[in-house]
Amino acid sequence: MFVKLFQMDADITSIIEPLNEAQREAVTTASVPVLVLAGAGSGKTRVLVHRIAWLIQVEGVSPLSILAVTFTNKAANEMRGRIEDLLGIPAQGMWVGTFHGLAHRLLRMHWQEAKLQQNFQILDSQDQLALVKRIIKGLELDESRWPHKQAQWFINARKDEGVRPQNMDDGGDPVQRQLIRIYSAYHAACERGGLVDFGELLLRALEVLRDNKALLAHYRERFRHILVDEFQDTNTLQYSWLRLLAGDKIPVFAVGDDDQSIYGWRGAKIEHIQRFNKDFSETQMVRLEQNYRSTGTILSAANALIANNEGRLGKNLWTDGQEGELLQLYTAFNEQDEARFVGERVRTWVEQGGRRDDIAVLYRSNAQSRVFEENFIAMGIPYRVYGGLRFFERAEIKNALAYLRLTANPADDASFERVVNQPPRGIGARTMELVREQAQVDDSSLQQAAQQLLAQKRFTARAGNAVAGFLQLLQKLSEEIKSLPLHEAVEHINSQSGLLEHYGKEKGEKGQSRVDNLHELISAARGFHFDEAIHGEMSPLDAFLAHAALEAGEGQGEAWEDCVQMMTLHSAKGLEFPLVFLTGMEEGLFPHQMSLEEPGRLEEERRLCYVGITRARQQLILTCAERRRLHGTDRYNLPSQFVGELPNELIQEIRPQIPRSVGRFMHKPQPSHQRFAVEDDFPLQLGDRVAHQKFGEGVVTSCEGNGSHARVEVQFDQSGNKWLVLAYANLERLSA
């Protein structure tokens, strides 16, 4: 008896000794529903793992009667590994995994009850899209009017809500009716082929338990405890599955943070965590507020920001570590100045002994990465775009560039292949096979071969019409952009090729991001510096295309290299860095313009900003721009209201702004310093309006150097940004 008690005491000590008081409270709670509000950097994974250890070693619960679920394979693997390390037992037999992984396991065991084929196959996202494409073609629908990705999004969104096509009502809407028809045909094809997509895994797992009372009773008896990570990210289907399985007896131990709920655009419902104590009776709530990541100053800023959201469950992050440096706020003149500033700070960090992979550059929209990429390449700073492609490697950008290349070179077969069916226009694989064969016989380009086949009437009527339309479009685009300035040519290609309209139909953040990127390509073209000394007799279009091709192949380091990490704020969740740049802090950019038009979106944007702030461990630098060229036009945005929600005493402004009212959100400037060393008698000042014989009128936005090396950057009204050496520029000062 004494030995047994001694062993239990040792087990208890090993489990709770590494924990703080709040973590211990969560780990040792009674077998009732528990909601653990785990703030950023508060050790939520540790609590989950130690809770499982407590149940097994102290309360004598069988490892096989515990169900632990999370959202990513990485998190699930980490949880299993830490359980094995803590308990010294293998975790393979335990039900620890992602929602999709556990649903798959359930369906493999009960394929007959789920009315599936025994050898059912899983469709990944790309395979699903290919099947949707075949369905739309089989229904003889116009692919340009019914884009494959829009239909895929519709199907997945309905499944996430637990809705089958036969249970849907079109409400008299012909668009809805056609989408339901596509969904129905897709569902039938999956049933015939024994195919299960990701949404179907969850929906079928819910249905098999809901419709088989004996099976549900079996698993309610089997599982005595359910633990859920990232609870704030559950969608309707996942939450319904958890509630069904838990019933009234199985205690759910949910760990999450309502302040980090940032995936509403993909179906996550913050309401689930907010109403947890209503849906599960006798809920005990524990708050994990001690942060082990960030300085006190960073946490104070995060707390002040998120306090502006209503309906929060409420918590206040704190640390017993150092207060740390003030947040820094840099107000750039434009996006180029913003990128240069970030690059210089990266260099300073490295010169002082830091590593580049300690640094994250965060932005709201993928389109913002281009200017940073160009400046990092110019400055020789290696970088990686985390969770995404470099700007000129993104599919929508490569498609637009392919159209541009075809206007410059009709014999560019690679570009022809790329956009012959982008946007979809009904030119299929068999048609392209004929074109390739003809090109080989004639030793000609694909475009010439297609013209030859049309002349010989060797296409079917439908294919012939599609090919003829494409060739006519290329000819039309080529003629129309001949006399246009480069940026207007890019804008014309974006719209008249149909790419903008095509991507605009793609729902959600991804579609909006593609549209933003196409608009950013216009900005890239407008800001492109054509130098006759470098580009010789090339046309501006050819020079720009060469620039894009070269940048697509340079700059991004390998995974093992010491590189600056660049990513969207959504991609940054779960990560942390000693130095974080939170860029583009302007109204309409962050918070995004759409958040001002949709209920609830502004609060989600604020939560996204909170996530960004709490990624920083030691230093956080915020940047915004007085003027930003975005979507092809100049914008003079107010600084983000989120900046104004941060306490003045926590922020040091690095440089005073251009003398222009920027609204009520800005802080009183702190003592500051100029970014460049300039002489007191420098002939021009920031903000001066000047005229140049070739480039016209503009405004001085930056100055550097002195004497014969003095240079200024001028934002010209018509010619964009130019750096000019004062000794040769012959600038006329028009006004201060």
Side-chain angles (χ1 to χ4, degrees):
M1 181 69 176
F2 174 78
V3 173
K4 188 173 182 180
L5 286 173
F6 179 81
Q7 181 64 48
M8 180 173 288
D9 287 344
D11 291 342
I12 292 173
T13 300
S14 67
I15 292 170
I16 67 172
E17 188 174 27
L19 308 178
N20 65 34
E21 185 177 345
Q23 291 171 339
R24 290 181 183 184
E25 181 185 356
V27 165
T28 61
T29 50
S31 293
V32 297
V34 179
L35 176 60
V36 181
L37 279 183
S42 63
K44 68 179 181 63
T45 304
R46 169 178 282 189
V47 165
L48 275 167
V49 170
H50 283 253
R51 173 64 174 176
I52 292 171
W54 177 270
L55 292 173
I56 294 171
Q57 288 198 337
V58 179
E59 297 193 7
V61 175
S62 166
L64 301 182
S65 66
I66 294 173
L67 177 75
V69 58
T70 187
F71 278 83
T72 67
N73 289 316
K74 179 182 176 182
N77 290 334
E78 180 185 358
M79 194 183 299
R80 280 191 290 266
R82 290 171 71 166
I83 290 169
E84 290 180 351
D85 291 342
L86 187 59
L87 296 179
I89 61 173
Q92 286 90 343
M94 297 177 64
W95 283 61
V96 177
T98 64
F99 278 100
H100 291 105
L102 296 177
H104 176 243
R105 183 173 177 177
L106 181 72
L107 294 177
R108 287 294 180 192
M109 295 172 65
H110 302 287
W111 57 273
Q112 289 176 308
E113 294 94 331
K115 299 176 184 176
L116 288 169
Q117 296 180 18
Q118 185 174 9
N119 63 340
F120 69 85
Q121 299 298 308
I122 298 177
L123 283 174
D124 65 19
S125 183
Q126 289 300 316
D127 291 338
Q128 182 193 32
L129 185 62
L131 178 56
V132 170
K133 183 177 180 179
R134 291 199 297 272
I135 294 297
I136 291 173
K137 185 175 181 180
L139 293 174
E140 298 185 346
L141 296 175
D142 182 350
E143 296 177 49
S144 63
R145 187 178 177 193
W146 304 100
H148 317 135
K149 289 194 175 182
Q150 182 185 12
Q152 181 187 35
W153 178 87
F154 177 84
I155 291 168
N156 291 338
R158 302 293 83 72
K159 287 194 177 188
D160 285 347
E161 293 293 324
V163 180
R164 294 290 189 192
Q166 62 269 25
N167 299 325
M168 295 183 65
D169 182 4
D170 60 38
D173 182 349
V175 173
Q176 187 82 347
R177 185 180 309 123
Q178 199 65 277
L179 288 170
I180 294 172
R181 182 181 172 217
I182 295 169
Y183 182 10
S184 183
Y186 169 83
H187 177 71
C190 288
E191 291 287 290
R192 285 194 305 271
L195 304 173
V196 176
D197 59 42
F198 292 147
E200 186 70 21
L201 284 173
L202 297 176
L203 182 51
R204 195 71 65 119
L206 173 69
E207 291 173 341
V208 74
L209 293 178
R210 183 195 65 196
D211 300 338
N212 293 269
K213 302 303 181 186
L215 193 63
L216 177 59
H218 166 76
Y219 280 102
R220 282 179 172 174
E221 182 67 26
R222 162 77 182 270
F223 296 121
R224 297 304 178 92
H225 292 269
I226 297 175
L227 298 94
V228 189
D229 191 13
E230 302 287 8
F231 191 77
Q232 76 281 350
D233 293 337
T234 53
N235 64 24
T236 299
L237 197 53
Q238 292 158 345
Y239 188 63
S240 298
W241 185 70
L242 288 170
R243 288 203 65 195
L244 176 67
L245 187 56
D248 297 327
K249 295 182 179 179
I250 302 177
V252 175
F253 187 91
V255 180
D257 184 2
D258 56 328
D259 291 334
Q260 294 189 75
S261 178
I262 60 173
Y263 298 120
W265 50 274
R266 70 183 190 195
K269 299 290 181 67
I270 192 174
E271 297 86 356
H272 297 160
I273 192 170
Q274 290 175 335
R275 72 179 192 218
F276 184 90
N277 60 350
K278 296 179 181 177
D279 290 344
F280 296 93
S281 58
E282 301 181 20
T283 292
Q284 181 172 338
M285 186 181 296
V286 181
R287 289 175 170 83
L288 303 184
E289 298 174 299
Q290 184 173 0
N291 177 281
Y292 293 93
R293 175 188 301 159
S294 306
T295 66
T297 299
I298 291 170
L299 296 180
S300 295
N303 290 332
L305 174 81
I306 203 64
N308 290 279
N309 273 3
E310 298 179 358
R312 297 174 60 232
L313 295 171
K315 65 183 178 309
N316 209 51
L317 297 179
W318 61 275
T319 180
D320 58 7
Q322 60 182 352
E323 280 304 298
E325 301 178 36
L326 293 176
L327 278 62
Q328 295 183 352
L329 174 64
Y330 182 80
T331 305
F333 300 120
N334 55 31
E335 70 275 16
Q336 296 288 346
D337 183 28
E338 177 186 48
R340 278 195 300 274
F341 166 76
V342 171
E344 287 165 2
R345 281 306 182 95
V346 168
R347 278 183 172 170
T348 301
W349 178 271
V350 174
E351 288 168 0
Q352 293 175 350
R355 289 179 56 85
R356 280 180 286 264
D357 57 9
D358 285 341
I359 303 170
V361 178
L362 308 183
Y363 35 80
R364 178 61 181 85
S365 167
N366 266 315
Q368 291 170 254
S369 78
R370 178 190 65 84
V371 180
F372 290 108
E373 291 184 61
E374 289 182 346
N375 276 273
F376 284 165
I377 290 171
M379 298 175 75
I381 298 174
Y383 67 90
R384 283 191 63 78
V385 179
Y386 182 94
L389 296 171
R390 290 169 286 182
F391 181 79
F392 286 109
E393 291 179 345
R394 292 166 188 160
E396 60 275 15
I397 298 302
K398 290 174 75 71
N399 288 342
L401 292 173
Y403 274 105
L404 285 165
R405 287 193 176 94
L406 284 171
T407 64
N409 177 18
D412 185 340
D413 286 350
S415 293
F416 188 92
E417 288 257 21
R418 182 171 190 90
V419 296
V420 69
N421 211 36
Q422 284 290 336
R425 52 177 58 88
I427 300 177
R430 176 58 190 150
T431 301
M432 281 307 299
E433 189 178 331
L434 281 175
V435 174
R436 292 188 201 100
E437 289 173 355
Q438 187 67 36
Q440 189 170 5
V441 169
D442 294 346
D443 191 23
S444 68
S445 69
L446 293 177
Q447 191 165 165
Q448 290 171 328
Q451 291 167 341
Q452 179 75 0
L453 289 169
L454 276 175
Q456 296 172 358
K457 298 184 178 179
R458 290 176 54 193
F459 292 123
T460 64
R462 182 178 177 184
N465 288 336
V467 171
F470 178 58
L471 296 180
Q472 289 165 9
L473 173 64
L474 293 181
Q475 180 65 32
K476 177 170 172 284
L477 291 175
S478 182
E479 292 294 329
E480 289 173 344
I481 71 168
K482 275 182 180 177
S483 59
L484 294 179
L486 179 60
H487 69 280
E488 291 184 16
V490 175
E491 185 173 17
H492 191 77
I493 289 290
N494 281 349
S495 62
Q496 297 306 306
S497 66
L499 289 174
L500 263 180
E501 181 183 3
H502 172 63
Y503 291 120
K505 293 177 181 176
E506 193 174 332
K507 300 292 185 181
E509 288 268 335
K510 192 171 184 179
Q512 183 60 48
S513 178
R514 292 186 189 277
V515 170
D516 288 348
N517 285 336
L518 286 175
H519 286 310
E520 182 61 19
L521 185 63
I522 302 170
S523 294
R526 185 188 287 270
F528 175 67
H529 178 52
F530 180 77
D531 189 332
E532 291 181 2
I534 298 173
H535 299 117
E537 297 182 0
M538 296 174 71
S539 70
L541 175 57
D542 286 336
F544 179 68
L545 291 172
H547 162 75
L550 290 170
E551 285 219 349
E554 294 183 5
Q556 180 154 285
E558 299 297 333
W560 58 85
E561 289 184 346
D562 180 17
C563 305
V564 175
Q565 307 297 304
M566 298 174 56
M567 66 194 76
T568 64
L569 282 149
H570 284 100
S571 297
K573 188 170 181 292
L575 303 176
E576 58 183 73
F577 304 89
L579 171 59
V580 169
F581 292 93
L582 198 48
T583 66
M585 298 294 293
E586 299 141 38
E587 287 293 292
L589 183 58
F590 189 36
H592 197 282
Q593 185 63 38
M594 290 191 301
S595 71
L596 307 176
E597 302 164 1
E598 299 180 29
R601 283 292 296 273
L602 180 60
E603 292 209 341
E604 182 162 318
E605 290 284 292
R606 188 176 285 110
R607 293 194 292 269
L608 188 58
C609 187
Y610 174 83
V611 166
I613 290 173
T614 54
R615 297 314 92 194
R617 284 163 47 189
Q618 299 172 20
Q619 190 173 4
L620 176 65
I621 300 177
L622 312 173
T623 65
C624 59
E626 296 272 356
R627 183 188 70 250
R628 185 179 298 275
R629 179 164 289 278
L630 198 64
H631 304 168
T633 59
D634 277 332
R635 295 186 178 187
Y636 295 88
N637 293 327
L638 291 172
S640 170
Q641 60 184 283
F642 299 152
V643 174
E645 291 170 1
L646 302 176
N648 287 351
E649 64 272 15
L650 299 181
I651 294 184
Q652 175 190 11
E653 291 200 30
I654 300 172
R655 186 180 72 179
Q657 306 136 145
I658 250 177
R660 177 178 68 78
S661 172
V662 294
R664 63 184 178 86
F665 296 119
M666 292 309 295
H667 303 280
K668 182 179 178 181
Q670 305 290 326
S672 58
H673 55 271
Q674 286 285 0
R675 189 169 67 88
F676 298 117
V678 298
E679 297 293 331
D680 292 338
D681 60 351
F682 200 89
L684 293 172
Q685 299 296 320
L686 303 178
D688 283 356
R689 189 156 186 83
V690 296
H692 184 272
Q693 187 175 1
K694 179 179 179 182
F695 301 130
E697 294 186 11
V699 176
V700 175
T701 57
S702 292
C703 314
E704 71 176 5
N706 54 72
S708 61
H709 299 289
R711 300 197 311 159
V712 292
E713 183 188 33
V714 181
Q715 174 68 36
F716 288 102
D717 299 341
Q718 300 299 323
S719 304
N721 270 12
K722 307 290 181 186
W723 274 101
L724 303 171
V725 178
L726 283 180
Y728 307 105
N730 295 322
L731 289 174
E732 178 187 355
R733 187 182 187 189
L734 301 178
S735 62

